[in-house]
Amino acid sequence: MSEPSAAPRPVAAPIGRSTDTVPSPDRAAEFRAALVNSLRADGKITTPAVEAAFLTVARERFVPDDVPLEQAYAVDDAVVTKRDQRGVALSSVSAAYIQARMLEQADLRPGMTVLEVGSGGLNAALIAEIVGDQGRVVSVDIDPDVIDRAAKLLDASGYGSRVRVLVADAEHGVPGEGPFDAIIVTVGAWDIPPVWLELLADTGVLVLPLIMNGVTRTIGFRRAGGHLVSTSIEVAGFVPMQGAGRHEERVFLLTDPNGKQVKLRFDSAAPEDMSPLDGVLATDRTEVWSGVTIPHRTSFADLHLWFAWHLPGFCLLTVDDGTELADERGTWFPFGAVHGAGFAYLAIRPAPEGVGVEFGARAYGRDGQLAATTVVEQIQAWDHDGRHTEPVFGYWPAGSDENQIPADASVMNKARGIVTISWPPRA
């Protein structure tokens, strides 16, 4: 149930153009082979078991009938299957790259018992292929419509007897099931419910998209004593969890002189008083540049993660058409910070050498210079301490021995525990 990742990724090359709602089996098989080749080349598929599952399961049977093969078999495209009254995605078929990566993260084997949280049908079919006839797959979702659709599609695709689908709020467990060798969560989770740890076998793997101050990473966790430690990390975005596990953002609107708005979204630690930013978009804008550069077409998703953990007043932003920011799309990214009476956001400009871009910050408000400087200081800190290194995450359930948390770890409080991150020293 993922949404497309913000980081651009290669897309499986289409083989011709299909507009048929019922494509021929041969054409679909060609698309499956092309997708697998792309996922293998990109390092998302690394084992024969996941490769065989992707070559076997027909993705086109789990997307709406009007979705062409090119989209169904694209590497990076999620397909929305249900929206609310406002058009917000509630359920989707996950992008192929993140499905493959999560299956690899889960380290699945024949005969395993696996829980999927967040249903749709396709991912459960892939899991069923890997664990085989001696394995067991349970797929749950809080939405009866989603479960009804998944059950029908699994039956029609020959997996109805191999996957048990249930309407349940996984926050409260799965009655009569468990323990599980793997739990794969396909909705954005702000926290880890204690019941998931109760359901997870001692040697099991928990794979989930964990939301940390608005930035999501799909993390594979294993037990390490009384806490969890990450074994793998992937960049992805997901439809957020509903039900008891839902987490509401705080949203503030900044209005420009023309009545257009910039929306600031805070996952946690939102400023108590936003009144110092009244009228801020009518003030002169300032810029501060970091001297930190990056080549073109290079991912810097780890900078977003660094901001989420280290940038005071961190927020995500969206903008109305007609605002100054909207007119400058392509020169900034939707990551910002509030500092007193100033608001700053991540910006780029051509690097002096002409071989990439330089990071910096643009800012509005009386404290705009301070806000931009704060962003730039964290860009420089990331460049020195976090760039090109993969962090290690930990999760410490409530009641854990916090004295065991590494001294160099940064800490983020959740409702049921503590998330930690450690950035290994650069070699």
Side-chain angles (χ1 to χ4, degrees):
M1 297 176 67
S2 68
E3 297 172 325
S5 167
R9 297 181 181 274
V11 176
I15 306 169
R17 182 74 180 171
S18 172
T19 57
D20 298 333
T21 57
V22 184
S24 72
D26 288 345
R27 282 187 58 76
E30 289 176 346
F31 272 88
R32 277 196 289 282
L35 174 62
V36 167
N37 288 339
S38 181
L39 292 171
R40 282 175 57 89
D42 200 30
K44 303 308 176 188
I45 287 180
T46 58
T47 62
V50 175
E51 177 180 346
F54 267 75
L55 287 171
T56 301
V57 178
R59 297 182 69 84
E60 71 275 10
R61 296 182 181 178
F62 292 89
V63 299
D65 290 341
D66 60 350
V67 174
L69 285 176
E70 291 89 347
Q71 185 178 357
Y73 284 94
V75 169
D76 198 41
D77 286 352
V79 178
V80 176
T81 55
K82 183 177 181 179
R83 297 182 183 273
D84 67 11
Q85 304 91 316
R86 300 171 296 164
V88 176
L90 296 177
S91 183
S92 65
V93 174
S94 295
Y97 91 89
I98 193 59
Q99 284 185 322
R101 185 71 176 113
M102 291 178 77
L103 294 175
E104 297 286 9
Q105 287 180 287
D107 194 23
L108 301 179
R109 298 285 188 273
M112 280 187 169
T113 300
V114 182
L115 172 64
E116 180 191 36
V117 177
S119 194
L122 175 56
N123 200 56
L126 292 166
I127 296 170
E129 281 293 331
I130 298 172
V131 302
D133 293 339
Q134 301 304 309
R136 178 169 173 77
V137 183
V138 180
S139 182
V140 303
D141 200 285
I142 196 172
D143 189 329
D145 292 339
V146 170
I147 284 295
D148 182 61
R149 179 179 184 276
K152 291 177 180 177
L153 293 175
L154 286 164
D155 282 340
S157 301
Y159 293 96
S161 63
R162 300 170 64 180
V163 179
R164 184 186 183 198
V165 290
L166 298 171
V167 177
D169 186 340
E171 189 85 1
H172 304 306
V174 187
E177 296 288 351
F180 294 98
D181 300 298
I183 298 175
I184 301 176
V185 182
T186 62
V187 288
W190 191 83
D191 201 353
I192 300 178
V195 69
W196 293 357
L197 302 183
E198 295 170 8
L199 290 171
L200 186 66
D202 289 343
T203 58
V205 180
L206 170 63
V207 180
L208 81 164
L210 187 61
I211 302 169
M212 297 165 287
N213 204 10
V215 174
T216 302
R217 289 294 179 271
T218 297
I219 305 174
F221 280 116
R222 285 190 182 272
R223 297 185 191 274
H227 68 286
L228 303 176
V229 64
S230 64
T231 57
S232 58
I233 304 165
E234 183 59 68
V235 178
F238 278 77
V239 173
M241 185 169 290
Q242 305 297 311
R246 183 180 180 87
H247 177 74
E248 297 289 348
E249 297 177 321
R250 293 188 65 185
V251 179
F252 297 92
L253 301 178
L254 306 180
T255 305
D256 72 7
N258 299 316
K260 303 297 185 179
Q261 293 179 324
V262 173
K263 179 186 296 183
L264 307 185
R265 298 162 41 212
F266 293 87
D267 175 78
S268 56
E272 290 299 322
D273 182 11
M274 291 288 285
S275 63
L277 291 183
D278 290 346
V280 69
L281 296 181
T283 64
D284 291 336
R285 191 171 65 180
T286 188
E287 297 181 353
V288 179
W289 296 96
S290 68
V292 176
T293 63
I294 194 166
H296 291 300
R297 293 182 293 277
T298 301
S299 173
F300 52 92
D302 49 347
L303 175 58
H304 314 161
L305 184 65
W306 183 275
F307 279 167
W309 279 84
H310 300 292
L311 179 59
F314 176 76
C315 60
L316 306 177
L317 59 147
T318 55
V319 302
D320 284 351
D321 290 338
T323 58
E324 185 172 26
L325 275 74
D327 294 339
E328 298 175 345
R329 294 186 196 277
T331 68
W332 58 273
F333 294 89
F335 306 95
V338 171
H339 185 104
F343 158 62
Y345 56 95
L346 178 65
I348 55 172
R349 67 180 181 182
E353 302 84 2
V355 294
V357 297
E358 178 185 4
F359 291 117
R362 299 191 182 108
Y364 295 92
R366 187 176 67 250
D367 293 329
Q369 184 77 20
L370 289 173
T373 298
T374 299
V375 172
V376 164
E377 287 174 347
Q378 290 304 326
I379 294 171
Q380 294 167 336
W382 162 77
D383 184 53
H384 185 268
D385 297 322
R387 191 171 182 175
H388 305 311
T389 64
E390 183 170 281
V392 177
F393 292 96
Y395 185 82
W396 306 74
S400 299
D401 183 0
E402 297 181 15
N403 292 322
Q404 299 299 314
I405 295 176
D408 65 344
S410 298
V411 172
M412 185 179 292
N413 291 320
K414 296 289 187 177
R416 280 82 169 260
I418 294 172
V419 182
T420 61
I421 189 171
S422 301
W423 300 81
R426 295 179 66 174

